[in-house]
């Protein structure tokens, strides 16, 4: 018998196990809890939700709603269990967390082809060993992967800076909510083709912005988070603590950018970088922050050109182990350095419970195909929510690789039409993607 071995019984690992079992594989799942807990997990249950009990919206015209519908077409255990354990929360899919984990544990443990090993994994087999045995491994050890396993993963990455222990996410703005009559496009020192949008600020505007950031409410650090790690990706508020002008010499430096309104460098300047080819998403360069989310929206909307900004993602800084997947993985989520070991879940560079489970779903199917000696498992097309997340993971976007949640900026845009509301355009984006997914799922 050939086995799929899975490291980590979280959201991704549980979903991967279910998908591999469905294909007829034998699955051995290694979970270090309850013997060894992560700093966030509290139980020994499979698929424990470490924080909120919500798997976000079920609205069919939203990215999280679309993602769950797609996963259901592939018989997702995580979505099924969530619906069974649902508690009232409007359009959100909130769950009774014990019931949710209980359903998942029971479903897997009742399967005669499933084995649970309650132990930490700290080393992984070589490709030669796996080719000999016919087995495959999936690593889905999550954002709080144990130290020894992190070291082992480094070997599969090749280089040290392909493994990150912290996430420093800058806000991402919807392209068409930016007021283009206020911002201007240009690259610093005229290098490139004016790829960035720029928000020039005068002295008063800069000082007002700094005051807002100083006064804003911030998220506390978890007690297992250590500020010393943040040195290479400091939140803007920490930079301000080092002096009012730090931002002006850091992410808000105006040098090399002639403001068309004055023909000179502004006092300070914020750059927005295109995150996708169509300009649907722009990230605020260097604007990682731990300000609370409502504060971020309020304060960033005081900036010229961002008065009506809508955000796909807000900034955050937190402990999160993830790999530079576009560099180290192939299209089927296996490592370039070992095609019999796949990566799944948050550690691939997605963000969120459902997104992590979605990557587990794809890895489980891909590993099963390898173990059963079948043709490579088909992957969903990029125009679907799951396919676009996969594409983010294996191909990356512009700029440094950073974790991504399900959002409509990843899908092809629908051009603005007179008389068609934004909500209708979003709904159309989702229904197009879902049709594509239906086509895909009917062929596999
Ligand atoms: P996990 O669910 O963490 O599963 C990984 C599993 O691997 C764990 O059970 C762990 O014990 C096990 N493991 C680790 N190392 C080893 C090893 N060497 N051997 C064996 N087992 C091992 N997302 C949301 O959508 N909403 C939230 O509210 C939310 N809150 C979060 C709060 C915190 C503190 C953190 C860290 C993350 C949060 N996330 C949240 C992000 C993310 O969605 C979750 O972390 C999600 O659980 C990731 O799923 P996963 O399967 O990749 O990892």
């Amino acid at each position: 018998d050939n086995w799929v071995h899975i490291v980590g019984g979280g959201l991704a690992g549980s979903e991967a196990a279910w998908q591999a079992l469905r294909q007829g594989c034998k699955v051995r799942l290694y979970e270090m809890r309850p013997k060894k807990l992560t700093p966030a997990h509290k139980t020994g249950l499979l698929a424990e939700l470490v924080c909120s009990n919500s798997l976000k919206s079920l609205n069919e015209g939203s990215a999280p709603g679309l993602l769950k519908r797609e996963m259901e077409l592939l018989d997702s255990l995580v979505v099924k269990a969530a619906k069974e354990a649902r508690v009232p929360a409007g359009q959100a899919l909130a769950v009774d967390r014990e019931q949710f984990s209980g359903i998942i544990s029971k479903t897997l443990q009742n399967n005669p082809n499933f084995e649970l090993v309650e132990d930490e994994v700290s080393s992984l087999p070589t490709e030669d060993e796996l080719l000999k045995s016919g087995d495959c491994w999936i690593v889905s050890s999550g954002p709080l992967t144990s130290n020894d396993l992190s070291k082992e993963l480094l070997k599969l990455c090749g280089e040290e800076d392909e493994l990150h222990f912290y996430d420093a996410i800058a806000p991402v703005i919807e392209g068409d909510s930016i007021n283009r009559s206020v911002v201007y496009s240009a690259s610093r020192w005229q290098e490139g083709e004016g790829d960035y949008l720029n928000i020039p600020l005068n002295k008063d505007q800069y000082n007002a912005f700094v005051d807002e950031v100083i006064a804003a409410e911030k998220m506390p650090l978890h007690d297992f988070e250590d500020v010393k790690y943040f040195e290479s990706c400091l939140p803007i508020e920490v930079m301000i603590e080092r002096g009012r002008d730090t931002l002006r010499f850091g992410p808000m430096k105006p040098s090399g950018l002639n403001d068309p309104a004055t023909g000179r460098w502004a006092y300070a300047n914020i750059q927005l970088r295109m995150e996708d080819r169509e300009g649907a998403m722009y990230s605020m360069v260097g604007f990682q922050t731990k300000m609370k989310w409502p504060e971020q929206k309020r304060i960033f909307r005081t900036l010229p050109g961002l008065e009506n900004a809508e955000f796909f993602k807000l900034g955050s800084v937190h402990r999160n182990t993830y790999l530079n997947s576009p560099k180290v993985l192939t299209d089927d989520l296996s490592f370039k350095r070992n095609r019999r070991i796949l990566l799944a879940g948050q550690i691939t560079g997605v963000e969120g419970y459902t997104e992590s489970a979605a990557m587990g779903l794809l890895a489980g199917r891909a590993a099963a195909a390898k173990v059963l000696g079948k043709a490579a498992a088909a992957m969903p097309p990029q125009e679907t929510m799951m396919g676009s997340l996969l594409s983010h993971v294996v191909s990356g976007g512009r700029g440094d690789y950073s974790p991504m949640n399900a959002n409509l900026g990843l899908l092809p845009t629908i051009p603005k039409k007179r008389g068609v509301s934004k909500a209708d355009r979003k709904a159309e984006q989702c229904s197009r993607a879902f049709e594509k997914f239906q086509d895909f799922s009917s062929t596999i």
Side-chain angles (χ1 to χ4, degrees):
D1 287 332
N2 300 340
W3 290 77
V4 175
H5 302 259
I6 300 176
V7 187
L11 276 300
S14 301
E15 184 68 53
W18 170 244
Q19 295 291 333
L21 290 168
R22 278 183 74 232
Q23 308 289 321
C25 294
K26 292 195 172 242
V27 171
R28 192 170 288 140
L29 176 63
Y30 305 82
E31 171 52 62
M32 65 182 187
R33 293 179 291 118
K35 266 193 215 160
K36 180 171 177 178
L37 293 176
T38 76
H41 289 83
K42 296 188 177 65
T43 75
L45 295 172
L46 295 180
E48 178 182 334
L49 301 174
V50 281
C51 183
S52 151
N53 67 332
S54 170
L55 278 76
K56 303 207 185 116
S57 181
L58 279 172
N59 181 341
E60 292 183 2
S62 71
L66 171 63
L67 179 61
K68 287 190 277 290
R69 284 180 91 200
E70 291 180 0
M71 291 170 73
E72 272 185 305
L73 283 188
L74 299 184
D75 194 26
S76 160
L77 175 60
V78 164
V79 177
K80 183 165 169 275
K83 284 198 162 173
E84 279 176 38
R86 190 172 181 188
V87 297
Q91 284 211 324
L93 179 55
V95 302
D96 175 316
R97 54 181 83 235
E98 273 180 29
Q99 207 187 338
F100 169 74
S101 296
I103 294 168
I104 289 176
S105 299
K106 223 195 236 157
T107 309
L108 293 176
Q109 303 225 33
N110 282 346
N111 191 305
N113 289 327
F114 178 81
E115 263 181 33
L116 178 64
V117 180
E118 289 183 342
D119 258 327
E120 177 179 357
V121 170
S122 41
S123 65
L124 296 164
T126 64
E127 189 166 27
D128 281 347
E129 285 165 347
L130 290 172
L131 285 169
K132 227 176 260 165
S133 68
D135 292 357
C136 259
W137 284 64
I138 296 175
V139 177
S140 51
S141 44
L144 304 168
T145 292
S146 69
N147 289 342
D148 286 351
L149 184 60
S150 298
K151 285 186 202 139
E152 186 71 2
L153 287 172
L154 262 181
K155 291 190 211 156
L156 282 173
C157 291
E159 283 173 52
E160 216 156 282
D161 55 3
E162 312 297 14
L163 176 72
H164 303 264
F165 290 102
Y166 275 84
D167 222 0
I169 294 184
V172 177
I173 303 173
E174 281 188 34
D176 61 14
S177 70
I178 300 167
N179 184 348
R180 305 293 170 113
S181 63
V182 177
V183 304
Y184 70 95
S185 46
S187 296
R188 209 179 288 283
W189 309 113
Q190 279 103 42
E191 284 164 1
E193 293 171 22
D195 298 335
Y196 292 83
L197 295 179
N198 295 281
I199 304 177
L201 299 182
N202 62 30
K203 189 172 180 180
D204 288 345
Q205 288 168 320
Y206 176 79
N207 279 322
F209 176 73
V210 167
D211 287 339
E212 287 282 16
V213 175
I214 291 172
E217 267 192 275
K218 322 283 183 332
M219 294 290 288
L221 284 175
H222 282 107
D223 48 12
F224 56 86
E225 295 181 319
D226 183 343
V227 261
K228 76 175 185 286
Y229 280 99
F230 297 156
E231 205 48 48
S232 61
C233 49
L234 286 176
I236 53 169
E237 56 276 12
V238 176
M239 287 191 225
I240 291 175
E241 278 169 22
R242 296 178 175 188
R244 278 192 87 79
D245 280 333
T246 314
L247 285 182
R248 234 163 49 79
F249 292 96
M252 290 175 77
K253 62 175 179 277
S255 44
L257 289 162
N258 291 333
D259 177 357
T262 60
R264 288 183 314 191
W265 297 358
Y267 188 74
N269 185 82
I270 294 169
Q271 287 207 301
L272 308 178
R273 183 180 50 229
M274 224 193 254
E275 283 283 303
D276 62 316
R277 253 169 257 121
E278 295 186 67
M281 300 191 274
Y282 280 85
S283 60
M284 299 179 72
V285 181
F287 265 62
Q288 48 275 2
T289 170
K290 283 187 79 78
M291 288 191 286
K292 288 196 169 169
W293 286 0
E295 290 285 77
Q296 291 188 37
K297 285 191 188 167
R298 183 181 65 74
I299 294 170
F300 294 144
R301 284 181 184 146
T302 64
L303 293 167
L306 300 189
E307 300 81 6
N308 299 312
E310 294 291 338
F311 294 86
F312 282 126
K313 264 202 302 198
L314 285 155
S316 63
V317 181
H318 55 224
R319 167 93 189 269
N320 185 16
T321 308
Y322 70 99
L323 305 189
N324 187 356
S325 294
K327 269 242 173 109
V328 302
L329 298 185
T330 68
D331 287 352
D332 68 2
L333 296 169
S334 62
F335 280 90
K336 288 180 181 163
R337 292 181 155 223
N338 186 337
R339 299 292 308 263
R340 306 288 291 186
I341 301 183
L342 289 78
L343 196 68
Q346 178 117 348
I347 195 167
T348 62
V350 295
E351 173 89 22
Y353 296 147
T354 319
E355 289 85 342
S356 300
M359 291 305 108
L361 189 156
L362 296 179
R365 291 175 48 83
K370 283 180 191 265
V371 159
L372 299 171
K374 292 187 182 166
M379 292 294 190
Q382 203 182 336
E383 298 89 346
T384 63
M385 199 69 252
M386 224 191 285
S388 66
L389 278 172
L390 176 70
S391 163
H392 169 78
V393 166
V394 298
S395 308
R398 295 183 170 209
D400 293 339
Y401 184 62
S402 76
M404 183 64 78
N405 56 344
N407 72 73
L408 297 185
L410 294 170
L411 296 179
T413 45
I414 306 271
K416 276 187 183 168
K417 266 183 256 159
R418 199 185 284 260
V420 180
S421 71
K422 199 167 178 186
D424 286 346
R425 278 196 290 138
K426 285 186 177 174
E428 191 183 335
Q429 246 186 323
C430 291
S431 62
R432 276 196 199 176
F434 189 61
E435 273 168 34
K436 281 264 175 205
F437 202 89
Q438 281 174 312
D439 292 346
F440 160 73
S441 67
S442 65
T443 60
I444 55 172

